[in-house]
Amino acid sequence: MAFKERVFSGVQPTGNLHLGNYLGAIVKFVALQESYDCIYCVVDLHAITVWQDPAELPRNIREVTAAFIASGIDPRKHIIFNQSQVAEHAELAWIFNCVARIGWLNRMTQFKEKAGKDRENASVGLFAYPCLMAADILAYRATHVPVGDDQKQHLELARDIAQKFNNDFGASIGARGHGEAFFPLTEPLIQGPATRVMSLRDGTKKMSKSDASDQSRINLTDDDDAIAQKIRRAKTDPHPLPHDEAGLAERPEADNLVGIYAALAGKPKAEVLRELGGAQFVSFKAALIELLIARLGPIRGELKRLLQDPAAIDAVLADGSARAQEIAAETMRAVKDIVGFVRR
Ligand code: ATP
Ligand code: MG
């Protein structure tokens, strides 16, 4: 069966939005608006899988919303909303908790990394996170999901959940006129030179909101001086840039900075190296700083302007939530019938 093409993705309001979120996700969100109906979600239910201070969470929700708009997402043509305003996410997640198997979730590397050594003390929500993520996507029966490389495993799980639901309830799905499959097997969109932006301090760790060192990431709110300083101090090796991509093997820090440059310049890494191969890091970093400031400066300005009017941001979220809920509620009614619940 052909599903209506639709894009869904989300960003957690966990503070410190960074260059990895921007290049790995938000830039893709912006580009996809041209060819798809898009739904972009501030996933606050995901955020509370680890402790969030209630005094800071509203600001973080508004900051992600403002970052979406400042980066160029149009909340009138598409949908921007926060997850907790559409109860169907949590409702469908429960059904998926009953479809997914504990063995599947036990394999998730994000849980292992975030729970760390004290796994017994992690929240149940952190463990069940991928079921909620599947519900986010499938409440809209979305066909395409742009994400960074770190979310690949969760998207595969979302496909497994959709497949198992379609199989387990196959007869009921058919009997209700939905054909062979009710949920699509979502396509991950993970492409380009910056699907995994690494920490500026350690080229083997992903750039992350939660890294204790602010020097490890470029925040979307960093001013020009902070951007320049962080790139100048970014870890590198003593060799000049190689002339081709093979020369980046075993050089994670160089690979990372070239990837960032390529993403900002809109060129493949190979082309960047053809142009800049042989350059020393001092001059390459200067060029990178220039590109970063040119791109992030205007976004930061717009982000700050938008944040001065929280009521306007809340209005965007309210409007987006109402439009999202119409779609999700229709899915949920069909799911209840398929599962066999009695409803009004
Ligand atoms: P947290 O540490 O709270 O999980 P995060 O930085 O991983 O924060 P998320 O809100 O979990 O951010 O992810 C939002 C989007 O950004 C996802 O699509 C994710 O794949 C992408 N993303 C996160 N970090 C990176 C990165 N370092 N490089 C590329 N994409 C990234
Ligand atoms: Mg994350």
Side-chain angles (χ1 to χ4, degrees), residues 95-96 98-99 161 163-176 179-180 182-183 335 337-340:
I95 291 175
F96 289 168
C98 302
V99 172
I161 289 175
Q163 180 92 64
K164 183 160 160 56
F165 182 95
N166 289 340
N167 289 345
D168 289 356
F169 295 102
S172 185
I173 288 169
R176 280 165 186 78
E180 295 203 332
F182 182 71
F183 288 121
V335 167
D337 290 343
I338 289 166
V339 171

PDB file of all heavy atoms in Angstrom, residues 95-96 98-99 161 163-176 179-180 182-183 335 337-340:
ATOM      1  N   ILE A  95       0.845   1.408  23.611  1.00  0.00           N
ATOM      2  CA  ILE A  95       0.548   0.244  22.757  1.00  0.00           C
ATOM      3  C   ILE A  95       1.852  -0.341  22.210  1.00  0.00           C
ATOM      4  O   ILE A  95       2.046  -1.553  22.201  1.00  0.00           O
ATOM      5  CB  ILE A  95      -0.446   0.656  21.658  1.00  0.00           C
ATOM      6  CG1 ILE A  95      -1.795   0.928  22.339  1.00  0.00           C
ATOM      7  CG2 ILE A  95      -0.569  -0.421  20.576  1.00  0.00           C
ATOM      8  CD1 ILE A  95      -2.873   1.446  21.466  1.00  0.00           C
ATOM      9  N   PHE A  96       2.774   0.536  21.832  1.00  0.00           N
ATOM     10  CA  PHE A  96       4.058   0.045  21.315  1.00  0.00           C
ATOM     11  C   PHE A  96       4.905  -0.607  22.415  1.00  0.00           C
ATOM     12  O   PHE A  96       5.705  -1.498  22.132  1.00  0.00           O
ATOM     13  CB  PHE A  96       4.833   1.168  20.615  1.00  0.00           C
ATOM     14  CG  PHE A  96       4.220   1.572  19.297  1.00  0.00           C
ATOM     15  CD1 PHE A  96       4.638   2.736  18.653  1.00  0.00           C
ATOM     16  CD2 PHE A  96       3.243   0.793  18.679  1.00  0.00           C
ATOM     17  CE1 PHE A  96       4.089   3.110  17.428  1.00  0.00           C
ATOM     18  CE2 PHE A  96       2.681   1.166  17.452  1.00  0.00           C
ATOM     19  CZ  PHE A  96       3.111   2.328  16.841  1.00  0.00           C
ATOM     20  N   CYS A  98       3.758  -2.558  24.361  1.00  0.00           N
ATOM     21  CA  CYS A  98       3.224  -3.920  24.390  1.00  0.00           C
ATOM     22  C   CYS A  98       3.511  -4.687  23.098  1.00  0.00           C
ATOM     23  O   CYS A  98       3.289  -5.886  23.024  1.00  0.00           O
ATOM     24  CB  CYS A  98       1.719  -3.871  24.670  1.00  0.00           C
ATOM     25  SG  CYS A  98       1.339  -3.030  26.229  1.00  0.00           S
ATOM     26  N   VAL A  99       4.021  -3.994  22.085  1.00  0.00           N
ATOM     27  CA  VAL A  99       4.400  -4.643  20.823  1.00  0.00           C
ATOM     28  C   VAL A  99       5.902  -4.958  20.842  1.00  0.00           C
ATOM     29  O   VAL A  99       6.331  -6.057  20.503  1.00  0.00           O
ATOM     30  CB  VAL A  99       4.068  -3.727  19.603  1.00  0.00           C
ATOM     31  CG1 VAL A  99       4.638  -4.311  18.314  1.00  0.00           C
ATOM     32  CG2 VAL A  99       2.552  -3.525  19.473  1.00  0.00           C
ATOM     33  N   ILE A 161       8.914  -2.240  15.069  1.00  0.00           N
ATOM     34  CA  ILE A 161       7.633  -2.115  15.778  1.00  0.00           C
ATOM     35  C   ILE A 161       6.482  -2.021  14.766  1.00  0.00           C
ATOM     36  O   ILE A 161       5.460  -2.701  14.900  1.00  0.00           O
ATOM     37  CB  ILE A 161       7.653  -0.887  16.722  1.00  0.00           C
ATOM     38  CG1 ILE A 161       8.573  -1.159  17.923  1.00  0.00           C
ATOM     39  CG2 ILE A 161       6.245  -0.538  17.184  1.00  0.00           C
ATOM     40  CD1 ILE A 161       8.763   0.033  18.859  1.00  0.00           C
ATOM     41  N   GLN A 163       6.401  -3.104  11.738  1.00  0.00           N
ATOM     42  CA  GLN A 163       6.271  -4.405  11.074  1.00  0.00           C
ATOM     43  C   GLN A 163       5.546  -5.408  11.968  1.00  0.00           C
ATOM     44  O   GLN A 163       4.642  -6.112  11.521  1.00  0.00           O
ATOM     45  CB  GLN A 163       7.679  -4.917  10.755  1.00  0.00           C
ATOM     46  CG  GLN A 163       7.721  -6.267  10.066  1.00  0.00           C
ATOM     47  CD  GLN A 163       7.725  -6.093   8.559  1.00  0.00           C
ATOM     48  OE1 GLN A 163       8.661  -5.528   7.999  1.00  0.00           O
ATOM     49  NE2 GLN A 163       6.679  -6.567   7.916  1.00  0.00           N
ATOM     50  N   LYS A 164       5.915  -5.450  13.231  1.00  0.00           N
ATOM     51  CA  LYS A 164       5.295  -6.414  14.140  1.00  0.00           C
ATOM     52  C   LYS A 164       3.826  -6.063  14.373  1.00  0.00           C
ATOM     53  O   LYS A 164       2.964  -6.943  14.422  1.00  0.00           O
ATOM     54  CB  LYS A 164       6.060  -6.497  15.470  1.00  0.00           C
ATOM     55  CG  LYS A 164       5.501  -7.553  16.442  1.00  0.00           C
ATOM     56  CD  LYS A 164       6.521  -7.942  17.502  1.00  0.00           C
ATOM     57  CE  LYS A 164       5.876  -8.575  18.728  1.00  0.00           C
ATOM     58  NZ  LYS A 164       5.055  -9.747  18.433  1.00  0.00           N
ATOM     59  N   PHE A 165       3.533  -4.770  14.500  1.00  0.00           N
ATOM     60  CA  PHE A 165       2.126  -4.354  14.650  1.00  0.00           C
ATOM     61  C   PHE A 165       1.337  -4.788  13.407  1.00  0.00           C
ATOM     62  O   PHE A 165       0.258  -5.377  13.520  1.00  0.00           O
ATOM     63  CB  PHE A 165       2.047  -2.833  14.843  1.00  0.00           C
ATOM     64  CG  PHE A 165       0.641  -2.327  15.058  1.00  0.00           C
ATOM     65  CD1 PHE A 165       0.142  -2.127  16.341  1.00  0.00           C
ATOM     66  CD2 PHE A 165      -0.189  -2.050  13.974  1.00  0.00           C
ATOM     67  CE1 PHE A 165      -1.163  -1.665  16.534  1.00  0.00           C
ATOM     68  CE2 PHE A 165      -1.497  -1.589  14.164  1.00  0.00           C
ATOM     69  CZ  PHE A 165      -1.977  -1.400  15.447  1.00  0.00           C
ATOM     70  N   ASN A 166       1.890  -4.502  12.228  1.00  0.00           N
ATOM     71  CA  ASN A 166       1.198  -4.869  10.979  1.00  0.00           C
ATOM     72  C   ASN A 166       0.968  -6.380  10.895  1.00  0.00           C
ATOM     73  O   ASN A 166      -0.077  -6.819  10.418  1.00  0.00           O
ATOM     74  CB  ASN A 166       2.011  -4.406   9.765  1.00  0.00           C
ATOM     75  CG  ASN A 166       2.006  -2.885   9.598  1.00  0.00           C
ATOM     76  OD1 ASN A 166       1.139  -2.194  10.132  1.00  0.00           O
ATOM     77  ND2 ASN A 166       2.990  -2.368   8.852  1.00  0.00           N
ATOM     78  N   ASN A 167       1.940  -7.168  11.363  1.00  0.00           N
ATOM     79  CA  ASN A 167       1.793  -8.629  11.323  1.00  0.00           C
ATOM     80  C   ASN A 167       0.819  -9.124  12.387  1.00  0.00           C
ATOM     81  O   ASN A 167      -0.111  -9.862  12.092  1.00  0.00           O
ATOM     82  CB  ASN A 167       3.141  -9.323  11.576  1.00  0.00           C
ATOM     83  CG  ASN A 167       4.083  -9.156  10.407  1.00  0.00           C
ATOM     84  OD1 ASN A 167       3.667  -8.770   9.314  1.00  0.00           O
ATOM     85  ND2 ASN A 167       5.359  -9.433  10.630  1.00  0.00           N
ATOM     86  N   ASP A 168       1.060  -8.696  13.637  1.00  0.00           N
ATOM     87  CA  ASP A 168       0.238  -9.203  14.743  1.00  0.00           C
ATOM     88  C   ASP A 168      -1.241  -8.912  14.514  1.00  0.00           C
ATOM     89  O   ASP A 168      -2.100  -9.719  14.848  1.00  0.00           O
ATOM     90  CB  ASP A 168       0.659  -8.546  16.075  1.00  0.00           C
ATOM     91  CG  ASP A 168       2.022  -9.025  16.562  1.00  0.00           C
ATOM     92  OD1 ASP A 168       2.598  -9.914  15.924  1.00  0.00           O
ATOM     93  OD2 ASP A 168       2.502  -8.481  17.586  1.00  0.00           O
ATOM     94  N   PHE A 169      -1.524  -7.722  13.997  1.00  0.00           N
ATOM     95  CA  PHE A 169      -2.922  -7.304  13.830  1.00  0.00           C
ATOM     96  C   PHE A 169      -3.363  -7.380  12.366  1.00  0.00           C
ATOM     97  O   PHE A 169      -4.330  -6.727  11.974  1.00  0.00           O
ATOM     98  CB  PHE A 169      -3.106  -5.878  14.375  1.00  0.00           C
ATOM     99  CG  PHE A 169      -2.880  -5.767  15.863  1.00  0.00           C
ATOM    100  CD1 PHE A 169      -1.690  -5.245  16.364  1.00  0.00           C
ATOM    101  CD2 PHE A 169      -3.838  -6.221  16.761  1.00  0.00           C
ATOM    102  CE1 PHE A 169      -1.467  -5.149  17.730  1.00  0.00           C
ATOM    103  CE2 PHE A 169      -3.617  -6.133  18.138  1.00  0.00           C
ATOM    104  CZ  PHE A 169      -2.437  -5.603  18.621  1.00  0.00           C
ATOM    105  N   GLY A 170      -2.634  -8.164  11.569  1.00  0.00           N
ATOM    106  CA  GLY A 170      -2.881  -8.203  10.124  1.00  0.00           C
ATOM    107  C   GLY A 170      -4.340  -8.430   9.763  1.00  0.00           C
ATOM    108  O   GLY A 170      -4.901  -7.694   8.930  1.00  0.00           O
ATOM    109  N   ALA A 171      -4.988  -9.401  10.400  1.00  0.00           N
ATOM    110  CA  ALA A 171      -6.377  -9.724  10.048  1.00  0.00           C
ATOM    111  C   ALA A 171      -7.283  -8.539  10.380  1.00  0.00           C
ATOM    112  O   ALA A 171      -8.147  -8.151   9.582  1.00  0.00           O
ATOM    113  CB  ALA A 171      -6.817 -10.971  10.816  1.00  0.00           C
ATOM    114  N   SER A 172      -7.061  -7.964  11.539  1.00  0.00           N
ATOM    115  CA  SER A 172      -7.893  -6.836  11.982  1.00  0.00           C
ATOM    116  C   SER A 172      -7.668  -5.604  11.090  1.00  0.00           C
ATOM    117  O   SER A 172      -8.605  -4.866  10.771  1.00  0.00           O
ATOM    118  CB  SER A 172      -7.530  -6.536  13.435  1.00  0.00           C
ATOM    119  OG  SER A 172      -8.356  -5.553  13.986  1.00  0.00           O
ATOM    120  N   ILE A 173      -6.425  -5.407  10.690  1.00  0.00           N
ATOM    121  CA  ILE A 173      -6.098  -4.274   9.805  1.00  0.00           C
ATOM    122  C   ILE A 173      -6.827  -4.439   8.464  1.00  0.00           C
ATOM    123  O   ILE A 173      -7.463  -3.509   7.969  1.00  0.00           O
ATOM    124  CB  ILE A 173      -4.556  -4.181   9.594  1.00  0.00           C
ATOM    125  CG1 ILE A 173      -3.881  -3.683  10.873  1.00  0.00           C
ATOM    126  CG2 ILE A 173      -4.203  -3.279   8.412  1.00  0.00           C
ATOM    127  CD1 ILE A 173      -2.350  -3.801  10.876  1.00  0.00           C
ATOM    128  N   GLY A 174      -6.762  -5.648   7.924  1.00  0.00           N
ATOM    129  CA  GLY A 174      -7.435  -5.922   6.655  1.00  0.00           C
ATOM    130  C   GLY A 174      -8.944  -5.778   6.782  1.00  0.00           C
ATOM    131  O   GLY A 174      -9.592  -5.141   5.932  1.00  0.00           O
ATOM    132  N   ALA A 175      -9.496  -6.307   7.881  1.00  0.00           N
ATOM    133  CA  ALA A 175     -10.952  -6.279   8.072  1.00  0.00           C
ATOM    134  C   ALA A 175     -11.482  -4.854   8.173  1.00  0.00           C
ATOM    135  O   ALA A 175     -12.643  -4.590   7.879  1.00  0.00           O
ATOM    136  CB  ALA A 175     -11.315  -7.063   9.329  1.00  0.00           C
ATOM    137  N   ARG A 176     -10.635  -3.936   8.611  1.00  0.00           N
ATOM    138  CA  ARG A 176     -11.066  -2.535   8.732  1.00  0.00           C
ATOM    139  C   ARG A 176     -10.710  -1.695   7.515  1.00  0.00           C
ATOM    140  O   ARG A 176     -10.769  -0.468   7.553  1.00  0.00           O
ATOM    141  CB  ARG A 176     -10.506  -1.918  10.015  1.00  0.00           C
ATOM    142  CG  ARG A 176     -11.359  -2.356  11.181  1.00  0.00           C
ATOM    143  CD  ARG A 176     -10.771  -2.150  12.533  1.00  0.00           C
ATOM    144  NE  ARG A 176     -11.701  -2.770  13.491  1.00  0.00           N
ATOM    145  CZ  ARG A 176     -11.770  -4.087  13.704  1.00  0.00           C
ATOM    146  NH1 ARG A 176     -10.957  -4.919  13.080  1.00  0.00           N
ATOM    147  NH2 ARG A 176     -12.670  -4.560  14.542  1.00  0.00           N
ATOM    148  N   GLY A 179      -6.015  -2.377   4.198  1.00  0.00           N
ATOM    149  CA  GLY A 179      -5.101  -3.121   3.331  1.00  0.00           C
ATOM    150  C   GLY A 179      -4.181  -4.009   4.141  1.00  0.00           C
ATOM    151  O   GLY A 179      -4.551  -4.517   5.194  1.00  0.00           O
ATOM    152  N   GLU A 180      -2.947  -4.180   3.670  1.00  0.00           N
ATOM    153  CA  GLU A 180      -2.029  -5.144   4.297  1.00  0.00           C
ATOM    154  C   GLU A 180      -1.251  -4.562   5.462  1.00  0.00           C
ATOM    155  O   GLU A 180      -0.789  -5.291   6.324  1.00  0.00           O
ATOM    156  CB  GLU A 180      -1.028  -5.643   3.246  1.00  0.00           C
ATOM    157  CG  GLU A 180      -1.715  -6.423   2.154  1.00  0.00           C
ATOM    158  CD  GLU A 180      -0.774  -7.366   1.453  1.00  0.00           C
ATOM    159  OE1 GLU A 180       0.434  -7.056   1.422  1.00  0.00           O
ATOM    160  OE2 GLU A 180      -1.255  -8.390   0.944  1.00  0.00           O
ATOM    161  N   PHE A 182      -0.931  -1.161   8.259  1.00  0.00           N
ATOM    162  CA  PHE A 182      -1.469   0.113   8.751  1.00  0.00           C
ATOM    163  C   PHE A 182      -0.356   1.148   8.918  1.00  0.00           C
ATOM    164  O   PHE A 182      -0.538   2.325   8.652  1.00  0.00           O
ATOM    165  CB  PHE A 182      -2.194  -0.084  10.083  1.00  0.00           C
ATOM    166  CG  PHE A 182      -2.787   1.200  10.588  1.00  0.00           C
ATOM    167  CD1 PHE A 182      -3.892   1.763   9.950  1.00  0.00           C
ATOM    168  CD2 PHE A 182      -2.229   1.883  11.669  1.00  0.00           C
ATOM    169  CE1 PHE A 182      -4.429   2.969  10.374  1.00  0.00           C
ATOM    170  CE2 PHE A 182      -2.758   3.089  12.098  1.00  0.00           C
ATOM    171  CZ  PHE A 182      -3.869   3.632  11.454  1.00  0.00           C
ATOM    172  N   PHE A 183       0.804   0.688   9.376  1.00  0.00           N
ATOM    173  CA  PHE A 183       1.918   1.628   9.565  1.00  0.00           C
ATOM    174  C   PHE A 183       2.961   1.466   8.460  1.00  0.00           C
ATOM    175  O   PHE A 183       3.277   0.334   8.062  1.00  0.00           O
ATOM    176  CB  PHE A 183       2.601   1.401  10.917  1.00  0.00           C
ATOM    177  CG  PHE A 183       1.787   1.862  12.089  1.00  0.00           C
ATOM    178  CD1 PHE A 183       1.418   0.966  13.093  1.00  0.00           C
ATOM    179  CD2 PHE A 183       1.391   3.187  12.217  1.00  0.00           C
ATOM    180  CE1 PHE A 183       0.669   1.384  14.188  1.00  0.00           C
ATOM    181  CE2 PHE A 183       0.637   3.617  13.310  1.00  0.00           C
ATOM    182  CZ  PHE A 183       0.273   2.713  14.293  1.00  0.00           C
ATOM    183  N   VAL A 335      -6.185   2.916  15.384  1.00  0.00           N
ATOM    184  CA  VAL A 335      -5.394   1.934  16.142  1.00  0.00           C
ATOM    185  C   VAL A 335      -6.272   1.255  17.202  1.00  0.00           C
ATOM    186  O   VAL A 335      -6.207   0.034  17.389  1.00  0.00           O
ATOM    187  CB  VAL A 335      -4.167   2.611  16.795  1.00  0.00           C
ATOM    188  CG1 VAL A 335      -3.524   1.705  17.838  1.00  0.00           C
ATOM    189  CG2 VAL A 335      -3.133   2.985  15.726  1.00  0.00           C
ATOM    190  N   ASP A 337      -9.456   0.733  17.143  1.00  0.00           N
ATOM    191  CA  ASP A 337     -10.343  -0.228  16.468  1.00  0.00           C
ATOM    192  C   ASP A 337      -9.565  -1.482  16.081  1.00  0.00           C
ATOM    193  O   ASP A 337     -10.031  -2.600  16.251  1.00  0.00           O
ATOM    194  CB  ASP A 337     -10.967   0.404  15.221  1.00  0.00           C
ATOM    195  CG  ASP A 337     -11.988   1.491  15.575  1.00  0.00           C
ATOM    196  OD1 ASP A 337     -12.436   1.526  16.744  1.00  0.00           O
ATOM    197  OD2 ASP A 337     -12.307   2.313  14.692  1.00  0.00           O
ATOM    198  N   ILE A 338      -8.358  -1.278  15.555  1.00  0.00           N
ATOM    199  CA  ILE A 338      -7.542  -2.424  15.125  1.00  0.00           C
ATOM    200  C   ILE A 338      -7.216  -3.333  16.310  1.00  0.00           C
ATOM    201  O   ILE A 338      -7.301  -4.556  16.228  1.00  0.00           O
ATOM    202  CB  ILE A 338      -6.247  -1.909  14.428  1.00  0.00           C
ATOM    203  CG1 ILE A 338      -6.581  -1.301  13.066  1.00  0.00           C
ATOM    204  CG2 ILE A 338      -5.227  -3.038  14.285  1.00  0.00           C
ATOM    205  CD1 ILE A 338      -5.447  -0.478  12.449  1.00  0.00           C
ATOM    206  N   VAL A 339      -6.853  -2.708  17.450  1.00  0.00           N
ATOM    207  CA  VAL A 339      -6.467  -3.497  18.630  1.00  0.00           C
ATOM    208  C   VAL A 339      -7.691  -4.170  19.263  1.00  0.00           C
ATOM    209  O   VAL A 339      -7.578  -5.226  19.883  1.00  0.00           O
ATOM    210  CB  VAL A 339      -5.726  -2.591  19.650  1.00  0.00           C
ATOM    211  CG1 VAL A 339      -5.501  -3.306  20.979  1.00  0.00           C
ATOM    212  CG2 VAL A 339      -4.388  -2.135  19.065  1.00  0.00           C
ATOM    213  N   GLY A 340      -8.863  -3.554  19.079  1.00  0.00           N
ATOM    214  CA  GLY A 340     -10.079  -4.149  19.623  1.00  0.00           C
ATOM    215  C   GLY A 340     -10.598  -3.463  20.879  1.00  0.00           C
ATOM    216  O   GLY A 340     -11.383  -4.039  21.629  1.00  0.00           O
TER     217      GLY A 340
END
